[in-house]
Amino acid sequence: MSAPLLEARAVTRRYRMPRESLFRAPPVLTAVDSASFILERGETLGIVGESGSGKSTLARMVMAFETPDAGQILFDGQDLGQLSAGDLRRQRQRFQMVFQDPFGSLDPRRSVGWSIAEPLRAIGAENRAHRVAEALEQVNLHAADAEKYPHEFSGGQRQRIAIARAIVTRPELIVADEAVSALDVSVQAQILNLLMDLQDELGLAMLFISHDLAVVASICDQILVMQHGKSIEQGRATEVLNAPTQDYTKSLLIAAGA
Amino acid sequence: MKTRLPVNFLIGAVLVALVLGAAALSLVWTPHDFAQMNIKAKFGPASSTYWLGTDQLGRDVVSQLMAAARNSMTVALAAVLIGGSIGTALGLLASAIGGWVEDLVMRIADIGFAFPALLFAIMLAAVFGPSLTNAVLAISFINIPVFARVARASANQVWTREYVAAAQAAGLNRAVISWDHILPNIGAAIIVQATIEFAVAILAEAALSYLGLGAQPPAPSWGRMLSEAQTLMYLAPQLAIYPGLCIVAAVLGFGLLGDGLRDITDPRLSRER
Ligand SMILES: Nc1ncnc2c1ncn2[C@@H]1O[C@H](COP(=O)(O)OP(=O)(O)O)[C@@H](O)[C@H]1O
Ligand SMILES: [Mg+2]
């Protein structure tokens, strides 16, 4: 059996906080505490948990923006922490990210086409204009939008542009951290549908992070529940939603009105 | 946008336009040859031929002021360009690398900052001899820490943006990101600073020339006109007043323009001051 696409093995991340007293060691905050999960190819894993439970920190480690203090992130069987800087850079086209803030994730001084082409330039891909046009059409925008600038688009449209940038290298994994949380509810549904369509079309796996259990329930095959940096429950979405084993998960379900 | 332009910006823009206009015009035309002496006409009063009169050697004052403006602008431009580019590059580098490199660069900038600028220029001139080139180098040098600080502080902010994280996710290295994203997004802050430093450079050039460490005769300079007029203060005070007014107009103009630009590009910053 081949390795899962993405696996977190007892990943821990600690932050040193500002020193409170000269005579005591600075306090340490454990943002992610020995969290584990498995994401298979083509599937969607939703990570839920209240704000501050370590979801974004986990996402940053999956994206190799930060390295774990303990444990490993394995992408396609390779420990991201063990890759050389050059190897990591080459692997990056295989996992991309959609960020939370549609107004902050596009450089205001660069045209949309320029931003979408950025991951292609990073790997020296040919035919960039063509692939940018293709990506724009895949997210239901127009090829001509490549010439425009981010301020000419609404939040939902910008999020489509961010998704176009994320899929332009034909990655196997998309990490979406609160990718719809900043959008109006009606726009949320459109973006969620788009993500699901793209996933079918392109065979993407997705790590879908949200504090909103209803959103996660609507889109994910698997659900991981996080609390205080720990992964307390992972299972098929239907099972976790219908028969949660943890009290914390039950309280989340009640809070979500399920 | 329908925002009204701030008053400091408008006054600054008018003064700067006057000074730059005079400097540019002097390239092609001055009422007289600024170096042409005419002993018979010395200390001439303002007239239709000599609009602001003549100096102790009978040279036309207006022509000298115009040529001096060109001189002053050239020195300031060169100094701000050289010091600004080096300082900005250092600030970008410090911000991109971080860690002890950033600390080191910024501590060195602190030292440069704490050093009295003019004193440094005088030291350079004392060691390498007085010349316009050395004045430019000295003023450039004192600009480096100023721009390094501004560039680093603004760059550190831009590094936290999500579009920078997206560029990192794309696999771009920090040098490329600095060039593609950081520099364009700190451009406004750099331009504001450059305008303000332009004023500082004009003042520094005037001071150095006043001390005989800048423009050498016969190149005209407001600072030197001022020092030459000093001994004639009782005889012909206007010869000191005109270059003095020019210095004030230029320094004030660029200073106000820079402040105004800052108000326009970053209202938050100006309110904090
Ligand atoms: N760079 C950081 N430095 C210090 N503390 C951090 C940092 N990033 C996150 N934290 C802390 O780690 C905890 C988890 O944060 P985060 O991963 O953002 O949670 P979530 O995304 O689930 O809301 C929080 O207490 C947060 O304050
Ligand atoms: Mg978060």
Side-chain angles (χ1 to χ4, degrees), chain A residues 63 65 89 92-93 95-97 99-101 104-110 114 118-119 121-122 165, chain B residues 161-174 177 179-182 184-188:
Chain A
M63 290 307 295
F65 293 151
R89 220 169 278 145
R92 281 191 177 283
Q93 58 177 300
F95 50 97
Q96 288 288 308
M97 184 154 182
F99 296 86
Q100 170 169 7
D101 179 9
S105 66
L106 297 169
D107 188 335
R109 295 184 189 277
R110 298 293 184 179
W114 191 98
E118 187 167 55
R121 277 193 303 277
R165 173 177 57 191
Chain B
R161 301 282 148 80
E162 281 188 345
Y163 57 79
V164 171
Q168 286 173 310
L172 294 167
N173 65 41
R174 297 178 84 81
I177 295 176
W179 182 256
D180 279 355
H181 294 288
I182 313 294
N185 282 288
I186 66 170

Coordinates of all heavy atoms in Angstrom, one line a residue, chain A residues 63 65 89 92-93 95-97 99-101 104-110 114 118-119 121-122 165, chain B residues 161-174 177 179-182 184-188:
Chain A
M63 N 2.2 23.5 5.1 CA 2.7 24.3 4.0 C 4.2 24.5 4.1 O 4.8 25.2 3.3 CB 2.0 25.7 3.9 CG 0.6 25.6 3.5 SD 0.3 24.7 1.9 CE 1.2 25.8 0.8
F65 N 5.8 26.4 6.0 CA 6.2 27.8 6.3 C 6.9 27.7 7.7 O 7.7 28.6 8.0 CB 5.0 28.7 6.5 CG 4.3 29.0 5.2 CD1 2.9 29.2 5.2 CD2 4.9 28.9 4.0 CE1 2.2 29.5 4.0 CE2 4.3 29.2 2.8 CZ 2.9 29.5 2.8
R89 N 11.5 23.5 -2.4 CA 10.9 24.5 -3.4 C 10.3 23.8 -4.6 O 9.3 24.2 -5.1 CB 12.1 25.4 -3.8 CG 11.7 26.8 -3.9 CD 12.8 27.8 -4.1 NE 13.4 28.1 -2.8 CZ 14.7 28.3 -2.7 NH1 15.6 28.2 -3.7 NH2 15.2 28.6 -1.5
R92 N 6.9 22.2 -3.9 CA 5.8 23.1 -3.5 C 4.7 23.2 -4.5 O 3.6 23.5 -4.2 CB 6.4 24.5 -3.2 CG 7.0 24.6 -1.8 CD 7.3 26.1 -1.4 NE 7.8 26.2 -0.1 CZ 7.1 26.1 1.0 NH1 5.8 25.9 0.9 NH2 7.7 26.3 2.2
Q93 N 5.1 23.0 -5.8 CA 4.0 23.1 -6.8 C 3.0 22.0 -6.6 O 1.9 22.1 -7.1 CB 4.6 22.9 -8.2 CG 5.4 21.6 -8.4 CD 5.9 21.5 -9.8 OE1 5.2 21.4 -10.7 NE2 7.2 21.4 -9.9
F95 N 1.6 21.1 -3.6 CA 0.7 21.5 -2.5 C 0.6 23.0 -2.5 O 1.6 23.7 -2.3 CB 1.0 20.9 -1.2 CG 2.4 21.1 -0.7 CD1 2.7 22.1 0.2 CD2 3.4 20.3 -1.1 CE1 4.0 22.3 0.7 CE2 4.7 20.4 -0.6 CZ 5.0 21.5 0.2
Q96 N -0.6 23.5 -2.6 CA -0.8 25.0 -2.6 C -1.9 25.4 -1.6 O -2.6 24.6 -1.0 CB -1.3 25.4 -4.0 CG -0.2 25.3 -5.1 CD 0.9 26.4 -4.9 OE1 0.5 27.6 -4.8 NE2 2.1 26.1 -4.8
M97 N -2.0 26.7 -1.4 CA -2.8 27.2 -0.3 C -3.8 28.3 -0.8 O -3.5 29.1 -1.7 CB -1.9 27.7 0.8 CG -2.7 28.2 2.0 SD -1.7 28.1 3.5 CE -2.8 28.6 4.7
F99 N -5.8 31.3 1.0 CA -5.8 32.0 2.3 C -7.1 32.5 2.7 O -8.1 32.5 1.9 CB -4.8 33.1 2.2 CG -3.4 32.6 2.0 CD1 -2.9 32.4 0.7 CD2 -2.5 32.4 3.1 CE1 -1.6 31.9 0.5 CE2 -1.3 31.9 2.9 CZ -0.8 31.7 1.6
Q100 N -7.2 33.0 3.9 CA -8.5 33.5 4.4 C -8.9 34.8 3.8 O -10.1 35.0 3.5 CB -8.4 33.7 6.0 CG -9.6 34.4 6.6 CD -9.6 34.3 8.1 OE1 -8.7 33.8 8.7 NE2 -10.7 34.8 8.6
D101 N -8.0 35.8 3.8 CA -8.4 37.2 3.5 C -8.3 37.5 2.0 O -7.2 37.6 1.5 CB -7.4 38.1 4.3 CG -7.7 39.6 4.0 OD1 -8.8 39.8 3.4 OD2 -7.0 40.4 4.4
G104 N -6.2 40.4 1.2 CA -4.8 40.5 1.6 C -3.9 39.4 0.8 O -2.7 39.5 0.9
S105 N -4.6 38.5 0.1 CA -3.8 37.4 -0.5 C -3.4 37.7 -1.9 O -2.7 36.9 -2.5 CB -4.6 36.1 -0.4 OG -5.7 36.2 -1.2
L106 N -3.8 38.9 -2.4 CA -3.3 39.3 -3.8 C -2.5 40.6 -3.7 O -3.0 41.6 -3.1 CB -4.5 39.4 -4.7 CG -5.3 38.2 -5.0 CD1 -6.6 38.5 -5.7 CD2 -4.5 37.2 -5.8
D107 N -1.4 40.6 -4.3 CA -0.6 41.9 -4.2 C -1.3 43.0 -5.0 O -1.6 42.8 -6.2 CB 0.8 41.6 -4.9 CG 1.8 42.7 -4.7 OD1 1.3 43.9 -4.6 OD2 3.0 42.5 -4.7
P108 N -1.7 44.1 -4.3 CA -2.4 45.1 -5.0 C -1.7 45.8 -6.2 O -2.4 46.4 -7.0 CB -2.7 46.1 -3.9 CG -1.6 45.9 -2.8 CD -1.3 44.4 -2.9
R109 N -0.4 45.6 -6.2 CA 0.3 46.3 -7.3 C 0.6 45.4 -8.5 O 1.3 45.7 -9.4 CB 1.7 46.8 -6.8 CG 1.4 47.9 -5.8 CD 2.7 48.5 -5.2 NE 2.3 49.4 -4.2 CZ 1.8 50.6 -4.3 NH1 1.7 51.1 -5.5 NH2 1.4 51.3 -3.3
R110 N 0.0 44.2 -8.4 CA 0.3 43.2 -9.5 C -1.0 42.9 -10.2 O -2.1 42.7 -9.5 CB 1.0 42.0 -9.0 CG 2.3 42.2 -8.4 CD 3.3 42.7 -9.4 NE 4.6 42.8 -8.8 CZ 5.7 43.2 -9.6 NH1 5.6 43.5 -10.8 NH2 6.9 43.3 -9.0
W114 N -0.6 38.3 -13.5 CA 0.8 38.2 -12.9 C 0.7 37.3 -11.7 O 1.6 36.5 -11.5 CB 1.2 39.6 -12.6 CG 2.7 39.7 -12.3 CD1 3.7 40.1 -13.1 CD2 3.3 39.4 -11.0 NE1 4.9 40.0 -12.4 CE2 4.7 39.6 -11.2 CE3 2.8 39.0 -9.8 CZ2 5.6 39.5 -10.1 CZ3 3.7 38.8 -8.7 CH2 5.1 39.0 -8.9
E118 N 2.4 33.5 -10.9 CA 3.6 33.4 -10.0 C 4.1 32.0 -9.8 O 5.3 31.8 -9.9 CB 3.3 34.1 -8.7 CG 4.5 34.3 -7.8 CD 4.2 35.3 -6.7 OE1 3.2 35.1 -6.0 OE2 5.0 36.2 -6.5
P119 N 3.2 31.1 -9.4 CA 3.8 29.7 -9.1 C 4.3 29.1 -10.4 O 5.2 28.2 -10.3 CB 2.5 28.9 -8.6 CG 1.5 30.0 -8.3 CD 1.8 31.2 -9.1
R121 N 6.0 30.8 -12.8 CA 7.3 31.4 -12.9 C 8.3 30.7 -12.0 O 9.4 30.5 -12.4 CB 7.3 32.9 -12.7 CG 6.8 33.7 -13.8 CD 7.1 35.2 -13.6 NE 6.5 35.7 -12.4 CZ 5.2 36.1 -12.3 NH1 4.5 36.1 -13.4 NH2 4.7 36.5 -11.2
A122 N 7.8 30.4 -10.8 CA 8.7 29.8 -9.8 C 9.3 28.5 -10.3 O 10.4 28.1 -9.9 CB 7.9 29.6 -8.5
R165 N -4.9 30.7 -8.7 CA -3.5 30.7 -8.5 C -3.1 29.4 -7.8 O -2.0 28.8 -8.1 CB -3.1 31.8 -7.6 CG -1.6 31.8 -7.1 CD -1.2 33.0 -6.3 NE -2.0 33.1 -5.1 CZ -2.0 34.2 -4.4 NH1 -1.2 35.2 -4.7 NH2 -2.8 34.3 -3.3
Chain B
R161 N 2.2 40.0 5.0 CA 1.0 39.9 4.2 C 0.8 38.5 3.6 O 1.8 37.8 3.4 CB 1.1 40.9 3.0 CG 1.3 42.3 3.4 CD -0.1 42.9 3.9 NE 0.2 44.0 4.9 CZ 0.5 45.2 4.6 NH1 0.7 45.6 3.4 NH2 0.7 46.0 5.6
E162 N -0.5 38.2 3.3 CA -0.8 36.9 2.8 C -0.2 36.7 1.4 O 0.1 35.6 1.0 CB -2.3 36.6 2.9 CG -2.7 36.2 4.3 CD -4.2 35.8 4.3 OE1 -4.9 36.0 3.3 OE2 -4.5 35.2 5.3
Y163 N -0.2 37.8 0.6 CA 0.3 37.6 -0.7 C 1.8 37.2 -0.7 O 2.3 36.6 -1.7 CB 0.1 38.8 -1.7 CG 0.6 40.1 -1.2 CD1 1.9 40.5 -1.4 CD2 -0.3 41.1 -0.7 CE1 2.3 41.7 -1.0 CE2 0.1 42.3 -0.3 CZ 1.4 42.7 -0.5 OH 1.9 43.9 -0.1
V164 N 2.5 37.6 0.3 CA 3.9 37.2 0.5 C 4.0 35.7 0.8 O 4.8 34.9 0.3 CB 4.7 38.0 1.5 CG1 6.0 37.4 1.8 CG2 4.8 39.4 1.0
A165 N 3.1 35.2 1.7 CA 3.0 33.8 2.0 C 2.7 33.0 0.8 O 3.2 31.9 0.6 CB 1.9 33.6 3.1
A166 N 1.8 33.6 -0.1 CA 1.4 32.9 -1.3 C 2.7 32.7 -2.2 O 2.9 31.7 -2.8 CB 0.3 33.6 -2.0
A167 N 3.5 33.8 -2.2 CA 4.7 33.7 -3.0 C 5.7 32.7 -2.5 O 6.3 31.9 -3.2 CB 5.4 35.1 -3.1
Q168 N 5.7 32.6 -1.1 CA 6.5 31.5 -0.5 C 6.0 30.2 -0.8 O 6.8 29.2 -1.1 CB 6.6 31.8 1.0 CG 7.5 32.9 1.3 CD 7.5 33.3 2.8 OE1 6.4 33.4 3.4 NE2 8.7 33.4 3.4
A169 N 4.7 30.0 -0.8 CA 4.1 28.7 -1.1 C 4.3 28.4 -2.6 O 4.4 27.2 -2.9 CB 2.5 28.8 -0.9
A170 N 4.5 29.4 -3.4 CA 4.9 29.1 -4.8 C 6.3 28.6 -5.0 O 6.7 28.1 -6.0 CB 4.6 30.3 -5.7
G171 N 7.1 28.7 -3.9 CA 8.5 28.2 -4.0 C 9.5 29.3 -4.4 O 10.6 29.0 -4.8
L172 N 9.1 30.6 -4.3 CA 10.1 31.6 -4.6 C 11.0 31.9 -3.4 O 10.5 31.8 -2.3 CB 9.3 32.9 -5.0 CG 8.5 32.8 -6.3 CD1 7.5 33.9 -6.4 CD2 9.4 32.7 -7.5
N173 N 12.2 32.3 -3.7 CA 13.1 32.6 -2.6 C 13.0 34.0 -2.1 O 12.3 34.8 -2.8 CB 14.6 32.2 -2.9 CG 15.1 33.1 -4.1 OD1 14.9 34.3 -4.1 ND2 15.8 32.4 -5.0
R174 N 13.6 34.3 -1.0 CA 13.4 35.6 -0.4 C 13.9 36.8 -1.2 O 13.4 37.9 -1.1 CB 13.9 35.6 1.0 CG 13.2 34.6 1.9 CD 13.8 34.5 3.3 NE 13.3 35.5 4.2 CZ 12.1 35.4 4.8 NH1 11.3 34.4 4.7 NH2 11.7 36.4 5.6
I177 N 11.2 37.4 -3.8 CA 10.0 38.0 -3.2 C 10.3 39.5 -2.8 O 9.5 40.4 -3.0 CB 9.6 37.2 -1.9 CG1 9.2 35.8 -2.4 CG2 8.5 37.9 -1.2 CD1 8.8 34.9 -1.2
W179 N 12.2 41.5 -4.4 CA 12.1 42.3 -5.6 C 10.7 42.4 -6.2 O 10.2 43.5 -6.6 CB 13.0 41.7 -6.7 CG 13.1 42.5 -7.9 CD1 12.5 42.2 -9.1 CD2 13.8 43.7 -8.2 NE1 12.7 43.1 -10.0 CE2 13.5 44.1 -9.5 CE3 14.6 44.5 -7.3 CZ2 14.1 45.2 -10.0 CZ3 15.1 45.7 -7.9 CH2 14.9 46.0 -9.2
D180 N 10.0 41.3 -6.2 CA 8.6 41.3 -6.8 C 7.6 41.9 -5.9 O 6.6 42.5 -6.5 CB 8.2 39.8 -7.0 CG 8.9 39.3 -8.3 OD1 9.5 40.0 -9.0 OD2 8.7 38.0 -8.6
H181 N 7.6 41.7 -4.6 CA 6.5 42.2 -3.8 C 6.9 43.2 -2.8 O 6.2 44.2 -2.6 CB 5.9 41.0 -3.0 CG 5.3 40.0 -3.9 ND1 4.1 40.2 -4.5 CD2 5.6 38.7 -4.3 CE1 3.7 39.2 -5.3 NE2 4.7 38.2 -5.1
I182 N 8.0 43.1 -2.1 CA 8.4 44.0 -1.0 C 8.7 45.3 -1.6 O 8.1 46.3 -1.2 CB 9.5 43.4 -0.2 CG1 9.3 41.9 0.2 CG2 9.7 44.3 1.1 CD1 8.2 41.6 1.1
P184 N 8.1 47.0 -4.5 CA 6.9 47.8 -5.0 C 6.0 48.3 -3.9 O 5.4 49.4 -4.0 CB 6.2 46.8 -5.9 CG 7.2 45.8 -6.3 CD 8.1 45.6 -5.1
N185 N 5.8 47.5 -2.8 CA 4.9 47.9 -1.8 C 5.4 48.8 -0.7 O 4.7 49.2 0.1 CB 4.2 46.6 -1.2 CG 3.2 46.0 -2.1 OD1 2.1 46.6 -2.3 ND2 3.5 44.9 -2.8
I186 N 6.8 49.0 -0.7 CA 7.3 50.0 0.2 C 7.7 51.3 -0.6 O 8.2 52.2 0.0 CB 8.5 49.5 1.0 CG1 9.7 49.2 0.0 CG2 8.2 48.2 1.8 CD1 11.0 49.0 0.8
G187 N 7.4 51.2 -1.9 CA 7.8 52.4 -2.8 C 7.3 53.7 -2.3 O 8.0 54.7 -2.2
A188 N 6.0 53.7 -1.8 CA 5.4 55.0 -1.4 C 6.2 55.6 -0.2 O 6.5 56.7 -0.2 CB 3.9 54.8 -1.0

